[in-house]
């Protein structure tokens, strides 16, 4: 095998140059990093010490200035006290050194006297420097105590002047001006490279001294500040001392530290470059031979070897190269064979052919041994092929035929492991393919789910070592992949056409089988039975899907027991099953359906509970009802719907009349799906009257459908269709919204009724969000909750009663009235009725219609009335059509009447035109008493 290569002009010298540059670059990074860290750390330390020193100097200078001010204060206080004691009006202070004060005056005497050469009027200057000249007088003076105060006189373009004033008994007796050189001497004696400034509490500059340029080399520090508080000692505002100075610079022997570190870094890199370059060139010289050998090996010359002398790492690399070349030479041959086997696996080559390829390759790899491959088909059949030294011209007769293993041999076969010898009972099948080799074979096994799936047997001529068996192990892995691929393909095929839960054919398997059967039948008879379990949803809802799955498995087993061997049984989905009976006519199909209905009609006991698995069946016959699988399944589905409509737990054979009804139903359902969006639904209102006075107090909202072709449709035409298709929830939500909007409109017109009743389906409660939708509708239309009444039927007592009770309680807490409609006609339960949050009980029209002529209907109506009164429920009688019925119900104590006697359901506009009191609201009193006696 040859590989194309690209040769580039490269030499060990160029590689050495690159390595030297790489080493220099690698050394440069840590050297520069260490230099930078050293400079940074030392600079930070120097700056920290410099900042601390500068800050300390600023505080010391401020304290020294304070000491001088206090000394001046003491001198002035002594002078004032001495002058007062001597009673000499113009005497000078006993002690007033000229280096402290420039001059002193004594205001308030017969003549002012200056102790300095300057004759400025300090008294007027003192008064101008006062914060408020009109209130200028010594503060806090009691008796003869001396009060000293410091003031600053700052004028534009003139030097700042510091004044001390002494007061006794509420007047100023002496004013002195301090010498600036005395006060600011500490500032001028401070660091010469700094700029100083002193400001008073108003920010005015009292003193400023220039120093060195703070922008000189070195990082300048921010200003250092110290505050001097003079309010307690000198009754003056605070002073702020500021010092700004350049940052420190690092030098060693007069040379910056960065220069020293840079020189050391350059010297280090020079040494590394010179020494590393020499060593690298010496070590890379043998690489030329290795480079040439690598190019030869890349070109496909696997016999290439290199000679590198020495005992260093390069010579070890040369020896490793030679070993690698030898291994590659062997691996290339093996890989070519493995790729051939892989190609066979991908191409779907039969397992026997792949096993023969493996055996032949083993025979070539181990020419002095015997090789064979054995694999199992089914539970007890063992197939074997032997390796051929010269596969060219060999025939299938060279392969060993399949051998049947006993149960004991199968167990021993499954216990085989790599390297084990074979028991005598198994030796013959293995050694037969090895041409009677005297030695026991060394085996390599392929396991699947704990069982031995295949065995590679090698009758080695010498003791096998682990490294020498590596090619055999590689081939074993390839054979294992082929077995897994075959098993996976079989599993995928099975899963594609079978149901995972019941193991029966699935929808795709049914379609495939039925299409094949129809193609092969050539017009022969067959029957398709479409089976649907009755009320299976109740099992899932009440007992969980786990019990439902177990019931489906049990149904599958019962169905299989009822069917002939040639029948196909499939689970189409959910609780739907399909049976295909080849060659069956109508009688045979009906007989089979009867057996199925009878078998499934028996209760199923699961987890200690009896469950019903009764079913309805629709039958379609081919080719009478259809010649394709789609037509037959559709006809069987239509017949199934008819069987369910006839009472369930029965079968029905398809008829052409069924098809027209089904098409009409499908058309009506399609139109109903868009009726809400097209605004085809209407709400009519039937009045309800108070029994005592005949006034229309309430109304029941009833939905109608204005069909574009069929006209106005009553609820009996489409409500059941809406419930079975799941459309009842959006329709109910639409009706609720329209009724709330109408109530709001009537309230605005002053026509408000006590309540308007809206029917709610049990399926709306099943959604779980009915309380939220009711609350949203009331809020959206600003309707008072007590004006809305929701009517529920007894059908909600089937299923999860607790969930319905919780939702009804939530709605009732909103203020909405809850009514039980059609009471007594369905699943009436006194215990559940007591638990439900019911406000109104309605007597069904079935009892009202017959109560005049049927004593039993009258007795039931009277019982319902008694029950409602005992539970403090409001009672509404519906379906009243005669005055006799109304008279009996009024005598029983009904609260409200509803029926055709008082009015039919009409649109909202027509309802507004109805008279407030019915013509039939006031029967003859004597007749009422007679009716009451009869009741």
């Amino acid at each position: 095998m040859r590989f194309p290569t690209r040769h580039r002009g490269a030499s060990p010298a160029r590689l050495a140059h690159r390595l030297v540059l790489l080493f220099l670059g690698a050394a440069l990074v840590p050297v520069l990093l260490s230099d930078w860290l050293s400079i940074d750390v030392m600079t930070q330390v120097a700056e920290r010490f410099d900042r601390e020193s500068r800050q300390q100097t600023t505080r010391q200078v401020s304290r020294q200035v304070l000491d001088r001010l206090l000394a001046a204060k003491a001198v002035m206080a002594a002078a004032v006290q001495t002058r007062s004691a001597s009673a000499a009006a113009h005497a000078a202070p006993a002690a007033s050194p000229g280096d402290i004060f420039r001059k002193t005056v004594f205001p308030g005497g017969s003549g002012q006297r200056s102790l300095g050469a300057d004759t400025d009027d300090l008294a007027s200057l003192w008064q101008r420097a006062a914060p408020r000249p009109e209130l200028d007088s010594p503060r806090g003076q009691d008796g003869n105590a001396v009060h000293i105060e410091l003031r600053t006189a700052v004028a534009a373009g003139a030097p700042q002047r510091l004044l001390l004033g002494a007061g006794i008994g509420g007047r100023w007796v002496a004013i002195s001006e301090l010498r600036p050189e005395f006060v600011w001497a500490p500032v001028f004696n401070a660091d010469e490279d700094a700029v100083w400034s002193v400001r008073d509490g108003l920010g005015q500059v009292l003193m400023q001294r220039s120093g060195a340029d703070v922008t000189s080399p070195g990082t300048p520090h921010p200003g250092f500040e110290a505050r001097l508080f003079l309010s307690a000692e000198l009754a003056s505002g605070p002073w702020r001392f500021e010092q700004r100075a350049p940052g420190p610079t690092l030098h060693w022997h007069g040379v910056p530290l960065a220069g020293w570190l840079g020189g050391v870094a350059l010297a280090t890199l020079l040494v590394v470059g010179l020494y590393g370059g020499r060593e690298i060139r010496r070590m890379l010289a043998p690489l030329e031979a290795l480079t040439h050998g690598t190019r030869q090996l890349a070109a496909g010359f696997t016999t290439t070897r290199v000679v590198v002398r020495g005992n260093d790492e390069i010579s070890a690399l040369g020896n490793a190269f030679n070993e690698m070349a030898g291994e590659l030479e062997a691996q290339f041959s093996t890989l070519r064979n493995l790729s051939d086997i892989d190609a066979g696996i991908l191409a779907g080559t039969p397992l026997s052919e792949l096993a023969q390829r493996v055996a032949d390759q083993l025979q070539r790899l181990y020419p002095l041994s015997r090789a064979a491959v054995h694999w199992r088909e089914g539970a007890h059949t063992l197939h074997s092929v032997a390796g051929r030294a010269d596969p060219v011209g060999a025939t299938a007769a060279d392969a060993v035929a399949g051998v049947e293993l006993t149960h004991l041999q199968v167990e021993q076969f499954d216990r085989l492991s790599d390297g084990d010898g074979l028991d005598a009972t198994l030796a013959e099948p293995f050694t037969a393919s090895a041409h009677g080799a005297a030695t026991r074979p060394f085996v390599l096994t392929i396991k699947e789910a704990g069982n031995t799936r295949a065995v590679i047997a090698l009758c080695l001529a010498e003791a096998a070592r682990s490294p020498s068996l590596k090619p055999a192990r590689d081939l074993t892995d390839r054979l294992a992949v082929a077995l897994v691929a075959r098993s996976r393909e079989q599993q995928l095929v099975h899963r594609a056409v079978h149901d995972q839960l019941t193991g029966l054919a699935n929808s795709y398997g049914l379609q495939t089988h039925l299409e094949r059967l129809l193609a092969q039948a050539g017009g022969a008879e067959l029957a398709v039975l479409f089976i649907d379990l009755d009320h299976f949803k109740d099992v899932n809802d009440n007992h969980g899907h786990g019990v439902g799955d177990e019931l489906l498995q049990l149904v599958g087993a019962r169905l299989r027991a009822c069917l002939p061997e040639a029948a196909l049984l499939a689970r189409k989905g959910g609780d739907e099953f399909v049976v295909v009976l080849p060659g069956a006519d109508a009688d045979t199909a009906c007989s089979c359906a009867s057996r199925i209905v009878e078998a499934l009609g028996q209760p199923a006991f699961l987890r200690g509970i009896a469950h019903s698995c009764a079913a309805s069946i629709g039958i379609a016959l081919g080719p009478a009802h259809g010649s394709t699988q789609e037509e037959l399944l559709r006809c069987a589905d239509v017949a199934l719907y008819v069987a369910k409509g006839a009472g369930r737990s029965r079968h029905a054979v398809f008829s052409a009349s069924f098809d027209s009804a089904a098409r009409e139903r499908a058309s009506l359902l399609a139109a109903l799906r868009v009726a809400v969006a097209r605004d085809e639904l209407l709400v009519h209102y039937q009045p309800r009257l108070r029994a005592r006075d005949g006034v229309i107090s309430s109304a029941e909202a009833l939905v109608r459908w204005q069909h574009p072709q069929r006209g106005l449709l009553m609820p009996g035409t489409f409500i059941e269709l809406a419930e079975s298709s799941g459309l009842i929830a959006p329709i109910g939500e639409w009706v609720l919204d329209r009724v709330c909007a109408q109530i709001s409109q009537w309230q605005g017109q002053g026509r408000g009724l006590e309540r308007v009743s809206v029917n709610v389906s049990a399926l709306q409660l099943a959604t779980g969000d009915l309380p939220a939708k009711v609350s949203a509708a009331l809020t959206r239309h600003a309707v008072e909750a007590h004006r809305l009444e929701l009517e529920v039927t007894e059908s909600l007592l089937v299923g999860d009663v607790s969930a319905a009770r919780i939702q009804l309680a939530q709605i009732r807490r909103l203020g909405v009235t809850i009514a039980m409609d059609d009471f007594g006609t369905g699943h009436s339960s006194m215990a559940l009725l007591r638990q439900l949050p019911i406000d109104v009980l309605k007597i069904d029209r079935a009892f009202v219609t017959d109560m005049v002529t049927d004593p039993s209907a009258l007795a039931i109506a009277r019982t319902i009335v008694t029950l409602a009164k005992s539970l403090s429920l409001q009672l509404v009688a519906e379906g009243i059509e005669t005055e006799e019925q109304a008279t009996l119900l009024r005598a029983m104590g009904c609260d409200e009447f509803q029926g055709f006697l008082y009015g039919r359901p009409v649109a909202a506009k027509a309802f507004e035109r109805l008279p407030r009191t019915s013509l039939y609201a006031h029967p003859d009193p004597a007749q009422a008493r007679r009716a009451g006696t009869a009741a």
Side-chain angles (χ1 to χ4, degrees), residues 55 58-59 223-227 240-243:
Q55 187 65 42
T58 306
R59 288 195 294 267
F224 303 96
E225 293 186 4
R227 289 186 175 271
R240 186 172 74 251
F241 288 75
E242 294 184 356
Q243 179 190 185

Side-chain angles (χ1 to χ4, degrees), residues 132-316:
R132 296 181 64 185
E134 67 274 9
L135 301 177
D136 185 21
S137 62
R139 291 170 290 176
Q141 297 300 310
D142 296 326
N144 295 323
V146 178
H147 171 69
I148 306 297
E149 184 174 330
L150 173 65
R151 294 182 182 176
T152 59
V154 181
Q160 297 81 359
R161 304 174 70 176
L162 304 178
L163 306 179
L164 278 181
I168 301 177
R171 63 189 182 85
W172 300 106
V173 298
I175 300 173
S176 299
E177 180 181 358
L178 293 169
R179 289 184 178 277
E181 59 271 18
F182 168 74
V183 177
W184 308 120
V187 177
F188 287 96
N189 293 333
D191 298 333
E192 296 180 355
D193 60 345
V195 175
W196 287 83
S197 64
V198 181
R199 299 176 183 271
D200 61 9
L202 299 177
Q204 297 174 336
V205 179
L206 302 178
M207 191 283 300
Q208 190 165 4
R209 192 205 79 176
S210 300
D213 185 6
V214 296
T215 62
S216 60
T219 303
H221 296 311
F224 303 96
E225 293 186 4
R227 289 186 175 271
L228 192 61
F229 296 95
L230 304 174
S231 59
E233 294 291 343
L234 296 171
S236 178
W239 288 2
R240 186 172 74 251
F241 288 75
E242 294 184 356
Q243 179 190 185
R244 294 183 62 83
T249 56
L250 301 178
H251 292 78
W252 189 53
H253 292 288
V255 179
L257 181 60
W260 287 104
L261 293 177
V264 173
L266 291 176
T268 302
L269 294 177
L270 181 60
V271 172
V272 170
L274 294 177
Y275 181 75
R278 184 176 65 85
E279 290 297 316
I280 289 173
R281 284 192 297 272
R282 182 184 64 83
M283 295 172 59
L284 293 182
L287 287 180
E288 186 174 358
L290 285 172
T291 302
H292 177 72
T294 303
R295 289 174 177 171
Q296 291 293 105
L297 188 62
F301 298 101
T302 56
T303 57
T304 300
R305 302 294 184 269
V306 299
V307 178
V308 178
R309 297 181 176 84
N311 57 357
D312 56 5
E313 291 81 358
I314 300 299
S315 61

Side-chain angles (χ1 to χ4, degrees), residues 316-332:
L317 179 60
N319 295 331
F321 174 85
N322 293 332
E323 293 178 3
M324 179 189 67
E327 292 180 0
L328 287 176
E329 184 177 3
Q331 289 178 6
F332 282 158

Side-chain angles (χ1 to χ4, degrees), residues 633-683:
L633 289 176
R634 186 187 65 82
C635 293
D637 191 18
V638 170
L640 171 65
Y641 176 77
V642 173
K644 284 184 173 291
R648 302 178 186 270
S649 298
R650 63 193 64 205
H651 67 271
V653 180
F654 176 78
S655 169
S657 60
F658 296 170
D659 197 22
S660 60
R663 293 182 185 277
E664 180 180 0
R665 174 183 171 87
S667 175
L668 191 64
L669 177 59
L672 182 60
R673 293 187 184 278
V674 296
V676 176
R678 293 179 178 176
D679 204 22
E680 296 176 359
L681 298 182
L682 306 173
V683 178

Side-chain angles (χ1 to χ4, degrees), residues 730-915:
I731 292 176
E733 185 176 353
W734 178 88
V735 172
L736 177 64
D737 185 79
R738 287 298 177 93
V739 170
C740 288
Q742 187 62 60
I743 295 174
S744 177
Q745 181 180 347
W746 282 342
Q747 285 179 340
Q749 298 172 353
R751 303 174 182 271
L753 300 174
E754 292 181 4
R755 293 190 305 277
V756 177
S757 178
V758 178
N759 291 280
V760 174
S761 170
L763 296 178
Q764 289 179 261
L765 281 168
T767 61
D769 58 355
L770 183 60
K773 291 181 177 179
V774 172
S775 176
L778 293 173
T779 303
R780 184 164 52 250
H781 299 288
V783 174
E784 297 174 347
H786 66 84
R787 296 190 181 276
L788 179 65
E789 177 181 297
L790 297 186
E791 288 190 16
V792 296
T793 62
E794 288 184 337
S795 59
L796 66 85
L797 300 178
V798 179
D800 190 358
V801 182
S802 61
R805 181 173 62 249
I806 293 173
Q807 293 187 71
L808 292 177
Q810 293 174 351
I811 296 173
R812 194 184 188 192
R813 283 195 292 270
L814 296 175
V816 177
T817 302
I818 305 299
M820 173 68 77
D821 194 13
D822 300 337
F823 184 75
T825 61
H827 307 273
S828 301
S829 171
M830 300 300 105
L832 291 177
L833 181 64
R834 180 177 57 85
Q835 298 175 13
L836 291 175
I838 302 298
D839 303 297
V840 178
L841 198 63
K842 299 188 71 173
I843 303 176
D844 187 75
R845 68 177 68 249
F847 305 120
V848 174
T849 301
D850 299 332
M851 63 186 305
V852 177
T853 59
D854 187 355
S856 61
L858 178 63
I860 293 175
R862 184 171 53 197
T863 302
I864 294 175
V865 171
T866 303
L867 175 63
K869 295 299 183 182
S870 64
L871 295 177
S872 300
L873 301 178
Q874 187 175 357
L875 196 62
V876 177
E878 59 181 1
I880 300 175
E881 298 181 359
T882 66
E883 295 182 41
E884 291 82 4
Q885 296 169 354
T887 302
L888 288 173
L889 291 169
R890 182 181 292 105
M892 291 180 189
C894 286
D895 299 298
E896 285 186 289
F897 291 162
Q898 178 182 351
F900 290 165
L901 180 63
Y902 308 109
R904 294 177 177 272
V906 293
K909 295 296 183 182
F911 185 88
E912 295 171 0
R913 295 191 295 269
L914 292 177

Side-chain angles (χ1 to χ4, degrees), residues 338 342 345 445-446 456 470-484:
L338 293 178
D342 290 340
I345 294 174
T445 60
I446 298 174
I456 290 180
K470 186 178 184 307
R473 297 186 188 277
D474 292 339
L475 289 169
T476 303
D477 292 340
R478 287 302 191 279
L479 186 60
V481 171
L483 291 171
V484 170

